Amino acid sequence: MSTIPLPRRDHLEFTTALDRELIHPGVSHVWSPHSVGTVLALLASGASHRTLAQIVSLIGRDFAGQLLDLDLSAAPEPGLDLAVLNGLYVPSDLPLRRTFVEHVRSRGGSEIANVDFRGDAEGVRGYINGRVAETTRGLIGQLLPPGLPPPDVRLLLVNALWVRMAWQEPFKPSQTRPLPFRAPGGPRPVPTMHRTARLPLARAHGWGLVTLAGGQGLYLDVLLPDTAAPTPPPLSPELVGALYRARSATMTRLALPRFAVRTSVSLLGPLSRLGLKDMVTAGARFDAISPQPLAVSEILHQAVLRVDEKGAEGAAATGVLMLRAGLPSRAVEFTVDRPFVFALRRGASILFMGRVTDPVDPGPAA
């Protein structure tokens, strides 16, 4: 099993930390540590002071080394079905530090372009969504939803990734049959693939792990808790490391559901809970990106993964929108769709206060 490379410790720590924040009980999710890690490492390369310290506290101090390893994992080679985009899109009047431009330019699939956010935001949206869709082979068609980017965006950093792996030993479709799956809503039959083979297998600390190999150094790990729960417990770097170290080639009768997972999420909340708070404030310091003060206004992420008898196909995209620091960011959602409290005030006095649990419509205003 020593021939199977292991993730870097700092990358694994980042992965398990952010994955923990993305868990919603009873809900499937997928995301790309490669895509998110790439944009965070690029932001770190352009940050300073407390902004840099907070990013480094999550991804590790050697973000330059991480970028190199992330690049290597997405490097082209004959027979490898993989594509990547690293795009930097700015208006022509934003000065950029040469070092940061070179950081982006040296990444695989780099594209640096001047765009007109203020005069043609919808055209920019269409272009970037098109580039992401092209890179991800159509699996992610709309990274930027309607209304984004707003006209006051000063910089947009985009990473997209697509990969398709074929099993070294495909599952036989004739052996796929329904088996009960203990889902959060109760057991239900799902199409389940079967294969008996000698596979890397491990058990440690109440978990099991099996590794399925594809070509060109691609592997899919499946981690299964011994005890059924609506949502698997959060992982830790120590647990994952122990499972990797415990792997041995074992004759295994594997039953694995076919599955597809898709997730679309804003990462600002999860990253803030992990300590990355300054980058969205007027005090953000991205001095090594531009002499103009910049702050992050949004980080969007989408990912999709499909696993079937032939192999696995995945795609992800991450977009970082930056405004001039000190300007208000895009509108915050505030939808009153649940019981609420109200207060009507004048001067120093609260004239009325109450709670609404089930609104009664008084009719249109006269």
Side-chain angles (χ1 to χ4, degrees):
M1 298 305 99
S2 59
T3 58
I4 300 178
L6 303 181
R8 291 173 56 118
R9 173 73 186 198
D10 48 10
H11 184 61
L12 186 56
E13 289 175 346
F14 153 68
T15 297
T16 54
L18 184 50
D19 188 70
R20 188 179 304 115
E21 295 298 326
L22 296 176
I23 294 173
H24 294 282
V27 178
S28 302
H29 77 258
V30 61
W31 67 288
S32 171
H34 182 284
S35 182
V36 179
T38 296
V39 298
L40 288 179
L42 285 171
L43 287 178
S45 73
S48 65
H49 296 77
R50 194 163 65 176
T51 305
L52 173 60
Q54 291 177 357
I55 300 174
V56 163
S57 71
L58 177 61
I59 66 173
R61 292 192 172 278
D62 185 21
F63 53 85
Q66 282 195 56
L67 269 176
L68 291 175
D69 282 337
L70 292 168
D71 287 346
L72 285 174
S73 67
E77 64 176 68
L80 177 62
D81 286 331
L82 187 147
V84 66
L85 168 69
N86 283 290
L88 175 61
Y89 307 98
V90 297
S92 58
D93 63 344
L94 178 70
L96 293 172
R97 304 290 190 191
R98 181 181 304 173
T99 303
F100 183 75
V101 172
E102 290 308 312
H103 271 306
V104 178
R105 198 188 309 277
S106 62
R107 312 270 75 83
S110 66
E111 176 177 81
I112 300 173
N114 290 134
V115 294
D116 185 5
F117 293 119
R118 188 164 298 280
D120 188 18
E122 184 61 24
V124 174
R125 172 178 171 264
Y127 175 77
I128 292 174
N129 282 344
R131 291 290 289 118
V132 169
E134 178 185 6
T135 302
T136 63
R137 306 305 191 259
L139 292 179
I140 296 178
Q142 185 173 273
L143 174 64
L144 300 175
L148 289 182
D152 52 355
V153 162
R154 299 295 288 157
L155 182 149
L156 181 53
L157 183 65
V158 175
N159 173 274
L161 171 71
W162 170 81
V163 64
R164 181 170 58 199
M165 68 179 288
W167 307 127
Q168 286 185 352
E169 297 180 36
F171 292 85
K172 294 180 179 179
S174 61
Q175 295 183 0
T176 298
R177 60 184 185 273
L179 280 186
F181 186 90
R182 288 173 283 176
R188 66 181 187 88
V190 300
T192 303
M193 307 178 294
H194 294 77
R195 173 152 46 110
T196 299
R198 186 171 293 276
L199 299 171
L201 187 74
R203 295 197 180 278
H205 307 298
W207 285 78
L209 176 146
V210 67
T211 298
L212 296 171
Q216 287 76 40
L218 290 165
Y219 300 91
L220 178 74
D221 297 321
V222 180
L223 296 87
L224 185 69
D226 293 346
T227 303
T231 300
L235 300 171
S236 68
E238 293 76 20
L239 169 63
V240 177
L243 286 167
Y244 281 144
R245 289 191 298 272
R247 285 181 304 184
S248 63
T250 305
M251 186 59 67
T252 306
R253 190 167 60 194
L254 176 64
L256 176 67
R258 286 194 311 238
F259 67 91
V261 190
R262 180 181 290 272
T263 296
S264 179
V265 64
S266 167
L267 294 177
L268 287 187
L271 291 174
S272 177
R273 293 192 293 273
L274 290 169
L276 279 66
K277 300 180 183 296
D278 275 30
M279 66 181 185
V280 301
T281 70
R285 296 293 297 270
F286 290 102
D287 314 53
I289 293 180
S290 171
Q292 184 178 109
L294 297 172
V296 173
S297 66
E298 181 61 284
I299 302 180
L300 300 171
H301 183 69
Q302 290 188 35
V304 58
L305 183 72
R306 172 191 169 94
V307 173
D308 59 23
E309 289 88 352
K310 292 183 177 180
E313 183 177 19
T318 308
V320 179
L321 288 78
M322 304 185 79
L323 305 177
R324 185 180 179 92
L327 292 181
S329 58
R330 71 183 183 91
V332 175
E333 298 284 346
F334 192 97
T335 302
V336 182
D337 58 359
R338 52 197 178 274
F340 60 94
V341 175
F342 64 84
L344 193 158
R345 299 181 296 109
R346 189 170 193 268
S349 175
I350 297 175
L351 302 182
F352 297 91
M353 186 172 190
R355 295 164 185 261
V356 175
T357 60
D358 189 0
V360 175
D361 182 12

